[in-house]
Amino acid sequence: MSVIVITGGSRGIGASAAEHIAQRGLGVILTYNAHPEAAAKVVERIEKAGGKAVALKLDVSDVGSFEAFRQSVVETLHETWAVTTLSGLVNNAGYGLFNPLATVSEAQFDGLFKVHLKGPFFLTQTLLPLLAENASIVNLTSATTRVATAGVAPYAAFKGGLEVLTRYMAKEFGGRGIRANAVSPGAIRTELGGGLNDEFEAMLAAQTALGRVGEPDDVARVIAMLLSQDSEWINAQTLEVAGGYII
Ligand SMILES: NC(=O)C1=CN([C@@H]2O[C@H](COP(=O)(O)OP(=O)(O)OC[C@H]3O[C@@H](n4cnc5c(N)ncnc54)[C@H](O)[C@@H]3O)[C@@H](O)[C@H]2O)C=CC1
Ligand SMILES: CC(C)c1ccc(C(=O)O)c(O)c1O
């Protein structure tokens, strides 16, 4: 049985990806930070559809907790699936912040850094010994790395860093057959940063070749594909999943 870990799996893109991955027959360990009840509902939906999932708590900004998280993953793999390795890791957890460069505080900068770059770096390092030959790592980045969007500078800068880190993961882990790719969504209808209002959504749709904003499923299907053997020759890439946003 192949099993993957996805962070921030209790809602939005992470929850949708967990369901799509489980539909493809993989076991899913989804993490939550603040909402165990939301994570339990995702697990329930997966199991109702015939899949298997377990929710574990993880604060991606707390590197000091990663060792204990790895131990929980080891125990969960053994007890739930009777396996010892992971076939994939999705670094998905994140949050948005709108604040112009001129007024970003050090605390805001550090908070975004921990969740979007430092956390994925050290979580991947911590889980590396558990990743099987041919495992796949997927890092969630953002179209704001390509399209400068006033108000999200630190967020976009750390997502850009994560895209570079993705290529280094591919370089350094390739000897073990482990692939690493980034998925870079445009604006997706989730609760990130408080969600979209009608006016903002209409503007984004008008700037998108396919004429609408994205849905979590649009991104989830690509994440699931990158975890599957269908993508076994895709490596070290950033795939923008944005319907043709500002092209
Ligand atoms: N929604 C959008 O327009 C876009 C989203 N993204 C990225 O996609 C990923 C998923 O975002 P969405 O599903 O849209 O947002 P969301 O807000 O619906 O879900 C994000 C999840 O991450 C979790 N999370 C936040 N901070 C955490 C922490 N410190 N530790 C553990 N979990 C934490 C939240 O609890 C939540 O479950 C994020 O990395 C985001 O930056 C990228 C481009 C566009
Ligand atoms: C520029 C558009 C509106 C936008 C906004 C936010 C994100 C993000 O949170 O990552 C995007 O990727 C966007 O394309």
Side-chain angles (χ1 to χ4, degrees):
M1 180 71 168
S2 297
V3 184
I4 66 96
V5 167
I6 180 162
T7 64
S10 64
R11 74 179 199 192
I13 294 168
S16 178
E19 293 187 56
H20 278 274
I21 294 160
Q23 274 167 25
R24 286 177 176 239
L26 279 71
V28 175
I29 298 175
L30 60 97
T31 77
Y32 62 90
N33 186 25
H35 299 289
E37 67 297 336
K41 281 190 183 144
V42 179
V43 169
E44 200 180 305
R45 285 202 296 276
I46 288 174
E47 300 203 328
K48 221 169 168 181
K52 186 77 204 155
V54 172
L56 297 180
K57 178 162 171 54
L58 176 69
D59 178 351
V60 167
S61 69
D62 183 8
V63 173
S65 71
F66 289 179
E67 203 55 52
F69 176 72
R70 177 172 64 189
Q71 205 43 49
S72 301
V73 170
V74 168
E75 284 161 20
T76 303
L77 287 173
H78 175 69
E79 286 163 15
T80 311
W81 288 281
V83 298
T84 55
T85 59
L86 289 169
S87 66
L89 167 65
V90 184
N91 285 304
N92 166 77
Y95 67 93
L97 172 81
F98 184 84
N99 195 359
L101 249 164
T103 51
V104 170
S105 69
E106 188 177 354
Q108 288 174 331
F109 181 100
D110 289 346
L112 289 163
F113 170 66
K114 282 184 190 168
V115 167
H116 292 287
L117 190 54
K118 185 176 177 184
F121 184 104
F122 285 105
L123 184 63
T124 305
Q125 183 190 73
T126 303
L127 295 181
L128 190 57
L130 299 183
L131 290 179
E133 293 272 323
N134 304 323
S136 171
I137 298 167
V138 180
N139 295 319
L140 268 288
T141 64
S142 165
T144 58
T145 63
R146 178 178 63 84
V147 179
T149 306
V152 299
Y155 170 91
F158 301 136
K159 290 296 200 185
L162 186 55
E163 289 181 356
V164 173
L165 178 59
T166 301
R167 291 173 42 238
Y168 276 83
M169 288 176 179
K171 185 83 175 175
E172 295 196 16
F173 305 158
R176 284 178 51 193
I178 297 172
R179 297 181 290 122
N181 292 287
V183 167
S184 174
I188 306 297
R189 194 194 311 280
T190 69
E191 293 169 69
L192 188 92
L196 300 167
N197 62 40
D198 289 350
E199 195 185 343
F200 192 37
E201 178 171 338
M203 188 199 80
L204 292 170
Q207 291 175 312
T208 302
L210 291 179
R212 63 172 177 85
V213 299
E215 302 294 338
D217 281 358
D218 292 321
V219 183
R221 282 192 295 270
V222 178
I223 296 172
M225 180 272 289
L226 285 173
L227 292 171
S228 78
Q229 294 307 303
D230 291 347
S231 61
E232 67 184 5
W233 203 235
I234 301 179
N235 194 20
Q237 301 304 303
T238 294
L239 271 69
E240 189 170 294
V241 183
Y245 174 64
I246 308 193
I247 45 177

mmCIF file of all heavy atoms in Angstrom, residues 187-231:
data_model
loop_
_atom_site.group_PDB
_atom_site.id
_atom_site.type_symbol
_atom_site.label_atom_id
_atom_site.label_comp_id
_atom_site.label_asym_id
_atom_site.label_seq_id
_atom_site.Cartn_x
_atom_site.Cartn_y
_atom_site.Cartn_z
ATOM 1 N N ALA A 187 -5.248 32.304 -8.391
ATOM 2 C CA ALA A 187 -6.254 32.479 -7.337
ATOM 3 C C ALA A 187 -7.264 31.330 -7.367
ATOM 4 O O ALA A 187 -7.844 31.026 -8.403
ATOM 5 C CB ALA A 187 -6.974 33.802 -7.528
ATOM 6 N N ILE A 188 -7.435 30.680 -6.216
ATOM 7 C CA ILE A 188 -8.320 29.518 -6.078
ATOM 8 C C ILE A 188 -9.379 29.859 -5.034
ATOM 9 O O ILE A 188 -9.063 30.483 -4.008
ATOM 10 C CB ILE A 188 -7.508 28.275 -5.617
ATOM 11 C CG1 ILE A 188 -6.310 28.013 -6.549
ATOM 12 C CG2 ILE A 188 -8.415 27.047 -5.522
ATOM 13 C CD1 ILE A 188 -6.647 27.682 -7.984
ATOM 14 N N ARG A 189 -10.602 29.403 -5.273
ATOM 15 C CA ARG A 189 -11.695 29.709 -4.347
ATOM 16 C C ARG A 189 -11.558 28.870 -3.063
ATOM 17 O O ARG A 189 -12.076 27.767 -2.950
ATOM 18 C CB ARG A 189 -13.041 29.412 -5.006
ATOM 19 C CG ARG A 189 -14.240 30.012 -4.269
ATOM 20 C CD ARG A 189 -15.542 29.399 -4.756
ATOM 21 N NE ARG A 189 -15.659 29.393 -6.196
ATOM 22 C CZ ARG A 189 -16.014 30.461 -6.923
ATOM 23 N NH1 ARG A 189 -16.313 31.582 -6.335
ATOM 24 N NH2 ARG A 189 -16.091 30.375 -8.235
ATOM 25 N N THR A 190 -10.795 29.412 -2.086
ATOM 26 C CA THR A 190 -10.671 28.787 -0.766
ATOM 27 C C THR A 190 -10.816 29.903 0.278
ATOM 28 O O THR A 190 -11.054 31.053 -0.072
ATOM 29 C CB THR A 190 -9.299 28.104 -0.571
ATOM 30 O OG1 THR A 190 -8.291 29.119 -0.492
ATOM 31 C CG2 THR A 190 -8.971 27.124 -1.686
ATOM 32 N N GLU A 191 -10.589 29.538 1.529
ATOM 33 C CA GLU A 191 -10.688 30.546 2.596
ATOM 34 C C GLU A 191 -9.359 31.262 2.857
ATOM 35 O O GLU A 191 -9.240 32.042 3.801
ATOM 36 C CB GLU A 191 -11.183 29.874 3.883
ATOM 37 C CG GLU A 191 -12.610 29.373 3.767
ATOM 38 C CD GLU A 191 -12.984 28.479 4.924
ATOM 39 O OE1 GLU A 191 -13.108 28.988 6.051
ATOM 40 O OE2 GLU A 191 -13.134 27.268 4.704
ATOM 41 N N LEU A 192 -8.346 30.968 2.030
ATOM 42 C CA LEU A 192 -7.036 31.610 2.194
ATOM 43 C C LEU A 192 -7.184 33.132 2.187
ATOM 44 O O LEU A 192 -7.829 33.685 1.298
ATOM 45 C CB LEU A 192 -6.103 31.185 1.059
ATOM 46 C CG LEU A 192 -4.654 31.628 1.190
ATOM 47 C CD1 LEU A 192 -3.824 30.549 1.885
ATOM 48 C CD2 LEU A 192 -4.042 31.902 -0.175
ATOM 49 N N GLY A 193 -6.587 33.773 3.181
ATOM 50 C CA GLY A 193 -6.614 35.237 3.244
ATOM 51 C C GLY A 193 -8.018 35.813 3.341
ATOM 52 O O GLY A 193 -8.269 36.945 2.920
ATOM 53 N N GLY A 194 -8.977 35.013 3.828
ATOM 54 C CA GLY A 194 -10.344 35.510 3.986
ATOM 55 C C GLY A 194 -11.241 35.272 2.778
ATOM 56 O O GLY A 194 -12.404 35.664 2.775
ATOM 57 N N GLY A 195 -10.679 34.637 1.726
ATOM 58 C CA GLY A 195 -11.503 34.306 0.555
ATOM 59 C C GLY A 195 -11.625 35.451 -0.431
ATOM 60 O O GLY A 195 -11.016 36.503 -0.260
ATOM 61 N N LEU A 196 -12.422 35.217 -1.483
ATOM 62 C CA LEU A 196 -12.574 36.192 -2.576
ATOM 63 C C LEU A 196 -13.918 36.899 -2.445
ATOM 64 O O LEU A 196 -14.903 36.261 -2.101
ATOM 65 C CB LEU A 196 -12.584 35.446 -3.923
ATOM 66 C CG LEU A 196 -11.359 34.610 -4.289
ATOM 67 C CD1 LEU A 196 -11.678 33.704 -5.470
ATOM 68 C CD2 LEU A 196 -10.180 35.518 -4.617
ATOM 69 N N ASN A 197 -13.972 38.211 -2.740
ATOM 70 C CA ASN A 197 -15.299 38.834 -2.845
ATOM 71 C C ASN A 197 -15.688 38.899 -4.332
ATOM 72 O O ASN A 197 -14.866 38.641 -5.214
ATOM 73 C CB ASN A 197 -15.349 40.205 -2.161
ATOM 74 C CG ASN A 197 -14.384 41.187 -2.809
ATOM 75 O OD1 ASN A 197 -14.244 41.215 -4.025
ATOM 76 N ND2 ASN A 197 -13.726 41.989 -1.994
ATOM 77 N N ASP A 198 -16.961 39.227 -4.605
ATOM 78 C CA ASP A 198 -17.478 39.147 -5.981
ATOM 79 C C ASP A 198 -16.706 40.031 -6.947
ATOM 80 O O ASP A 198 -16.387 39.632 -8.065
ATOM 81 C CB ASP A 198 -18.963 39.547 -6.010
ATOM 82 C CG ASP A 198 -19.832 38.479 -5.353
ATOM 83 O OD1 ASP A 198 -19.302 37.380 -5.065
ATOM 84 O OD2 ASP A 198 -21.017 38.762 -5.114
ATOM 85 N N GLU A 199 -16.387 41.235 -6.477
ATOM 86 C CA GLU A 199 -15.714 42.201 -7.350
ATOM 87 C C GLU A 199 -14.305 41.717 -7.721
ATOM 88 O O GLU A 199 -13.899 41.746 -8.884
ATOM 89 C CB GLU A 199 -15.625 43.539 -6.599
ATOM 90 C CG GLU A 199 -15.287 44.724 -7.474
ATOM 91 C CD GLU A 199 -15.090 45.974 -6.615
ATOM 92 O OE1 GLU A 199 -15.529 45.989 -5.441
ATOM 93 O OE2 GLU A 199 -14.486 46.921 -7.111
ATOM 94 N N PHE A 200 -13.582 41.224 -6.701
ATOM 95 C CA PHE A 200 -12.214 40.734 -6.914
ATOM 96 C C PHE A 200 -12.246 39.508 -7.825
ATOM 97 O O PHE A 200 -11.443 39.375 -8.751
ATOM 98 C CB PHE A 200 -11.614 40.389 -5.551
ATOM 99 C CG PHE A 200 -10.123 40.141 -5.571
ATOM 100 C CD1 PHE A 200 -9.292 40.885 -6.385
ATOM 101 C CD2 PHE A 200 -9.561 39.185 -4.744
ATOM 102 C CE1 PHE A 200 -7.920 40.671 -6.397
ATOM 103 C CE2 PHE A 200 -8.198 38.955 -4.737
ATOM 104 C CZ PHE A 200 -7.381 39.699 -5.571
ATOM 105 N N GLU A 201 -13.229 38.639 -7.582
ATOM 106 C CA GLU A 201 -13.337 37.425 -8.398
ATOM 107 C C GLU A 201 -13.589 37.778 -9.870
ATOM 108 O O GLU A 201 -12.986 37.179 -10.766
ATOM 109 C CB GLU A 201 -14.458 36.528 -7.863
ATOM 110 C CG GLU A 201 -14.622 35.292 -8.731
ATOM 111 C CD GLU A 201 -15.553 34.248 -8.163
ATOM 112 O OE1 GLU A 201 -15.786 34.227 -6.931
ATOM 113 O OE2 GLU A 201 -16.038 33.429 -8.961
ATOM 114 N N ALA A 202 -14.476 38.759 -10.118
ATOM 115 C CA ALA A 202 -14.779 39.153 -11.505
ATOM 116 C C ALA A 202 -13.528 39.698 -12.183
ATOM 117 O O ALA A 202 -13.256 39.399 -13.361
ATOM 118 C CB ALA A 202 -15.887 40.192 -11.514
ATOM 119 N N MET A 203 -12.730 40.453 -11.438
ATOM 120 C CA MET A 203 -11.503 41.015 -12.012
ATOM 121 C C MET A 203 -10.507 39.899 -12.356
ATOM 122 O O MET A 203 -9.916 39.873 -13.426
ATOM 123 C CB MET A 203 -10.876 41.985 -11.012
ATOM 124 C CG MET A 203 -9.705 42.757 -11.567
ATOM 125 S SD MET A 203 -8.720 43.436 -10.235
ATOM 126 C CE MET A 203 -7.754 42.049 -9.726
ATOM 127 N N LEU A 204 -10.378 38.931 -11.434
ATOM 128 C CA LEU A 204 -9.454 37.816 -11.667
ATOM 129 C C LEU A 204 -9.909 36.964 -12.844
ATOM 130 O O LEU A 204 -9.100 36.546 -13.679
ATOM 131 C CB LEU A 204 -9.365 36.931 -10.411
ATOM 132 C CG LEU A 204 -8.694 37.582 -9.202
ATOM 133 C CD1 LEU A 204 -8.885 36.709 -7.964
ATOM 134 C CD2 LEU A 204 -7.219 37.800 -9.485
ATOM 135 N N ALA A 205 -11.223 36.732 -12.933
ATOM 136 C CA ALA A 205 -11.765 35.925 -14.037
ATOM 137 C C ALA A 205 -11.479 36.611 -15.367
ATOM 138 O O ALA A 205 -11.117 35.964 -16.357
ATOM 139 C CB ALA A 205 -13.262 35.714 -13.840
ATOM 140 N N ALA A 206 -11.597 37.938 -15.380
ATOM 141 C CA ALA A 206 -11.350 38.690 -16.616
ATOM 142 C C ALA A 206 -9.878 38.633 -17.034
ATOM 143 O O ALA A 206 -9.550 38.801 -18.209
ATOM 144 C CB ALA A 206 -11.785 40.139 -16.422
ATOM 145 N N GLN A 207 -8.992 38.386 -16.077
ATOM 146 C CA GLN A 207 -7.550 38.318 -16.377
ATOM 147 C C GLN A 207 -7.091 36.886 -16.664
ATOM 148 O O GLN A 207 -5.898 36.626 -16.796
ATOM 149 C CB GLN A 207 -6.749 38.860 -15.188
ATOM 150 C CG GLN A 207 -6.898 40.365 -14.985
ATOM 151 C CD GLN A 207 -6.173 40.812 -13.732
ATOM 152 O OE1 GLN A 207 -6.328 40.215 -12.668
ATOM 153 N NE2 GLN A 207 -5.381 41.853 -13.857
ATOM 154 N N THR A 208 -8.054 35.961 -16.700
ATOM 155 C CA THR A 208 -7.719 34.541 -16.859
ATOM 156 C C THR A 208 -8.263 34.040 -18.198
ATOM 157 O O THR A 208 -9.452 34.246 -18.506
ATOM 158 C CB THR A 208 -8.336 33.728 -15.690
ATOM 159 O OG1 THR A 208 -7.833 34.260 -14.466
ATOM 160 C CG2 THR A 208 -7.994 32.255 -15.794
ATOM 161 N N ALA A 209 -7.394 33.394 -18.992
ATOM 162 C CA ALA A 209 -7.795 32.971 -20.344
ATOM 163 C C ALA A 209 -9.060 32.119 -20.317
ATOM 164 O O ALA A 209 -9.921 32.251 -21.182
ATOM 165 C CB ALA A 209 -6.646 32.215 -21.005
ATOM 166 N N LEU A 210 -9.206 31.259 -19.319
ATOM 167 C CA LEU A 210 -10.384 30.379 -19.271
ATOM 168 C C LEU A 210 -11.588 31.053 -18.605
ATOM 169 O O LEU A 210 -12.632 30.430 -18.415
ATOM 170 C CB LEU A 210 -10.042 29.052 -18.582
ATOM 171 C CG LEU A 210 -9.081 28.146 -19.379
ATOM 172 C CD1 LEU A 210 -8.766 26.864 -18.612
ATOM 173 C CD2 LEU A 210 -9.651 27.795 -20.757
ATOM 174 N N GLY A 211 -11.445 32.321 -18.199
ATOM 175 C CA GLY A 211 -12.588 33.134 -17.806
ATOM 176 C C GLY A 211 -13.204 32.861 -16.452
ATOM 177 O O GLY A 211 -14.350 33.249 -16.209
ATOM 178 N N ARG A 212 -12.468 32.246 -15.564
ATOM 179 C CA ARG A 212 -12.993 32.018 -14.200
ATOM 180 C C ARG A 212 -11.814 31.877 -13.247
ATOM 181 O O ARG A 212 -10.666 31.719 -13.690
ATOM 182 C CB ARG A 212 -13.865 30.759 -14.141
ATOM 183 C CG ARG A 212 -13.131 29.441 -14.457
ATOM 184 C CD ARG A 212 -14.010 28.229 -14.182
ATOM 185 N NE ARG A 212 -13.372 26.968 -14.536
ATOM 186 C CZ ARG A 212 -12.552 26.269 -13.762
ATOM 187 N NH1 ARG A 212 -12.211 26.716 -12.568
ATOM 188 N NH2 ARG A 212 -12.029 25.122 -14.177
ATOM 189 N N VAL A 213 -12.092 31.928 -11.934
ATOM 190 C CA VAL A 213 -11.041 31.612 -10.959
ATOM 191 C C VAL A 213 -11.004 30.090 -10.789
ATOM 192 O O VAL A 213 -11.899 29.378 -11.254
ATOM 193 C CB VAL A 213 -11.269 32.300 -9.587
ATOM 194 C CG1 VAL A 213 -11.277 33.803 -9.732
ATOM 195 C CG2 VAL A 213 -12.532 31.794 -8.918
ATOM 196 N N GLY A 214 -9.974 29.602 -10.117
ATOM 197 C CA GLY A 214 -9.831 28.158 -9.946
ATOM 198 C C GLY A 214 -10.626 27.630 -8.761
ATOM 199 O O GLY A 214 -10.958 28.374 -7.831
ATOM 200 N N GLU A 215 -10.908 26.329 -8.806
ATOM 201 C CA GLU A 215 -11.549 25.626 -7.693
ATOM 202 C C GLU A 215 -10.506 24.688 -7.078
ATOM 203 O O GLU A 215 -9.573 24.256 -7.770
ATOM 204 C CB GLU A 215 -12.748 24.803 -8.196
ATOM 205 C CG GLU A 215 -13.822 25.615 -8.906
ATOM 206 C CD GLU A 215 -14.544 26.595 -7.977
ATOM 207 O OE1 GLU A 215 -14.539 26.387 -6.745
ATOM 208 O OE2 GLU A 215 -15.094 27.592 -8.489
ATOM 209 N N PRO A 216 -10.648 24.333 -5.788
ATOM 210 C CA PRO A 216 -9.676 23.423 -5.168
ATOM 211 C C PRO A 216 -9.438 22.144 -5.981
ATOM 212 O O PRO A 216 -8.298 21.693 -6.124
ATOM 213 C CB PRO A 216 -10.311 23.122 -3.807
ATOM 214 C CG PRO A 216 -11.091 24.360 -3.493
ATOM 215 C CD PRO A 216 -11.630 24.849 -4.814
ATOM 216 N N ASP A 217 -10.510 21.596 -6.584
ATOM 217 C CA ASP A 217 -10.362 20.366 -7.380
ATOM 218 C C ASP A 217 -9.419 20.542 -8.570
ATOM 219 O O ASP A 217 -8.764 19.588 -8.997
ATOM 220 C CB ASP A 217 -11.726 19.910 -7.919
ATOM 221 C CG ASP A 217 -12.547 19.195 -6.860
ATOM 222 O OD1 ASP A 217 -12.052 19.020 -5.730
ATOM 223 O OD2 ASP A 217 -13.693 18.810 -7.178
ATOM 224 N N ASP A 218 -9.405 21.770 -9.155
ATOM 225 C CA ASP A 218 -8.536 22.011 -10.313
ATOM 226 C C ASP A 218 -7.075 21.756 -9.950
ATOM 227 O O ASP A 218 -6.286 21.264 -10.765
ATOM 228 C CB ASP A 218 -8.666 23.477 -10.785
ATOM 229 C CG ASP A 218 -10.028 23.790 -11.389
ATOM 230 O OD1 ASP A 218 -10.574 22.938 -12.098
ATOM 231 O OD2 ASP A 218 -10.535 24.903 -11.127
ATOM 232 N N VAL A 219 -6.715 22.124 -8.724
ATOM 233 C CA VAL A 219 -5.329 21.956 -8.261
ATOM 234 C C VAL A 219 -5.126 20.542 -7.714
ATOM 235 O O VAL A 219 -4.084 19.913 -7.946
ATOM 236 C CB VAL A 219 -5.000 23.009 -7.178
ATOM 237 C CG1 VAL A 219 -3.540 22.900 -6.742
ATOM 238 C CG2 VAL A 219 -5.294 24.419 -7.680
ATOM 239 N N ALA A 220 -6.140 20.045 -7.015
ATOM 240 C CA ALA A 220 -6.031 18.728 -6.371
ATOM 241 C C ALA A 220 -5.728 17.630 -7.383
ATOM 242 O O ALA A 220 -4.911 16.732 -7.118
ATOM 243 C CB ALA A 220 -7.337 18.412 -5.637
ATOM 244 N N ARG A 221 -6.374 17.708 -8.561
ATOM 245 C CA ARG A 221 -6.151 16.662 -9.581
ATOM 246 C C ARG A 221 -4.699 16.651 -10.043
ATOM 247 O O ARG A 221 -4.126 15.592 -10.312
ATOM 248 C CB ARG A 221 -7.078 16.888 -10.782
ATOM 249 C CG ARG A 221 -8.520 16.442 -10.538
ATOM 250 C CD ARG A 221 -9.299 16.427 -11.851
ATOM 251 N NE ARG A 221 -9.426 17.779 -12.400
ATOM 252 C CZ ARG A 221 -10.433 18.604 -12.124
ATOM 253 N NH1 ARG A 221 -11.403 18.213 -11.335
ATOM 254 N NH2 ARG A 221 -10.479 19.818 -12.649
ATOM 255 N N VAL A 222 -4.089 17.845 -10.122
ATOM 256 C CA VAL A 222 -2.690 17.920 -10.576
ATOM 257 C C VAL A 222 -1.755 17.371 -9.488
ATOM 258 O O VAL A 222 -0.791 16.664 -9.788
ATOM 259 C CB VAL A 222 -2.327 19.378 -10.955
ATOM 260 C CG1 VAL A 222 -0.865 19.478 -11.369
ATOM 261 C CG2 VAL A 222 -3.236 19.869 -12.074
ATOM 262 N N ILE A 223 -2.066 17.690 -8.237
ATOM 263 C CA ILE A 223 -1.257 17.145 -7.129
ATOM 264 C C ILE A 223 -1.326 15.608 -7.157
ATOM 265 O O ILE A 223 -0.295 14.923 -7.059
ATOM 266 C CB ILE A 223 -1.757 17.687 -5.770
ATOM 267 C CG1 ILE A 223 -1.576 19.203 -5.696
ATOM 268 C CG2 ILE A 223 -1.035 16.987 -4.617
ATOM 269 C CD1 ILE A 223 -2.226 19.865 -4.474
ATOM 270 N N ALA A 224 -2.536 15.084 -7.320
ATOM 271 C CA ALA A 224 -2.699 13.618 -7.345
ATOM 272 C C ALA A 224 -1.921 13.013 -8.509
ATOM 273 O O ALA A 224 -1.271 11.965 -8.367
ATOM 274 C CB ALA A 224 -4.184 13.260 -7.433
ATOM 275 N N MET A 225 -1.952 13.674 -9.651
ATOM 276 C CA MET A 225 -1.209 13.176 -10.817
ATOM 277 C C MET A 225 0.297 13.157 -10.537
ATOM 278 O O MET A 225 0.995 12.206 -10.892
ATOM 279 C CB MET A 225 -1.538 14.073 -12.025
ATOM 280 C CG MET A 225 -0.857 13.729 -13.334
ATOM 281 S SD MET A 225 0.753 14.499 -13.531
ATOM 282 C CE MET A 225 0.332 16.225 -13.776
ATOM 283 N N LEU A 226 0.789 14.202 -9.862
ATOM 284 C CA LEU A 226 2.239 14.265 -9.591
ATOM 285 C C LEU A 226 2.684 13.223 -8.571
ATOM 286 O O LEU A 226 3.874 12.930 -8.456
ATOM 287 C CB LEU A 226 2.627 15.675 -9.124
ATOM 288 C CG LEU A 226 2.660 16.730 -10.239
ATOM 289 C CD1 LEU A 226 2.873 18.120 -9.645
ATOM 290 C CD2 LEU A 226 3.751 16.410 -11.263
ATOM 291 N N LEU A 227 1.731 12.691 -7.811
ATOM 292 C CA LEU A 227 2.074 11.633 -6.857
ATOM 293 C C LEU A 227 1.989 10.251 -7.507
ATOM 294 O O LEU A 227 2.397 9.253 -6.909
ATOM 295 C CB LEU A 227 1.128 11.681 -5.646
ATOM 296 C CG LEU A 227 1.271 12.904 -4.742
ATOM 297 C CD1 LEU A 227 0.144 12.937 -3.721
ATOM 298 C CD2 LEU A 227 2.623 12.900 -4.024
ATOM 299 N N SER A 228 1.450 10.206 -8.721
ATOM 300 C CA SER A 228 1.217 8.908 -9.363
ATOM 301 C C SER A 228 2.326 8.574 -10.355
ATOM 302 O O SER A 228 3.129 9.435 -10.728
ATOM 303 C CB SER A 228 -0.132 8.925 -10.093
ATOM 304 O OG SER A 228 0.015 9.633 -11.324
ATOM 305 N N GLN A 229 2.314 7.342 -10.818
ATOM 306 C CA GLN A 229 3.313 6.908 -11.803
ATOM 307 C C GLN A 229 3.085 7.573 -13.166
ATOM 308 O O GLN A 229 3.992 7.589 -13.998
ATOM 309 C CB GLN A 229 3.276 5.379 -11.954
ATOM 310 C CG GLN A 229 3.698 4.625 -10.701
ATOM 311 C CD GLN A 229 5.049 5.081 -10.164
ATOM 312 O OE1 GLN A 229 6.042 5.049 -10.879
ATOM 313 N NE2 GLN A 229 5.093 5.538 -8.924
ATOM 314 N N ASP A 230 1.892 8.147 -13.395
ATOM 315 C CA ASP A 230 1.643 8.864 -14.659
ATOM 316 C C ASP A 230 2.670 9.966 -14.880
ATOM 317 O O ASP A 230 2.924 10.373 -16.008
ATOM 318 C CB ASP A 230 0.245 9.525 -14.644
ATOM 319 C CG ASP A 230 -0.865 8.502 -14.686
ATOM 320 O OD1 ASP A 230 -0.573 7.327 -14.970
ATOM 321 O OD2 ASP A 230 -2.017 8.882 -14.421
ATOM 322 N N SER A 231 3.238 10.465 -13.785
ATOM 323 C CA SER A 231 4.161 11.607 -13.892
ATOM 324 C C SER A 231 5.598 11.202 -13.576
ATOM 325 O O SER A 231 6.402 12.046 -13.204
ATOM 326 C CB SER A 231 3.718 12.715 -12.929
ATOM 327 O OG SER A 231 3.759 12.230 -11.593
#
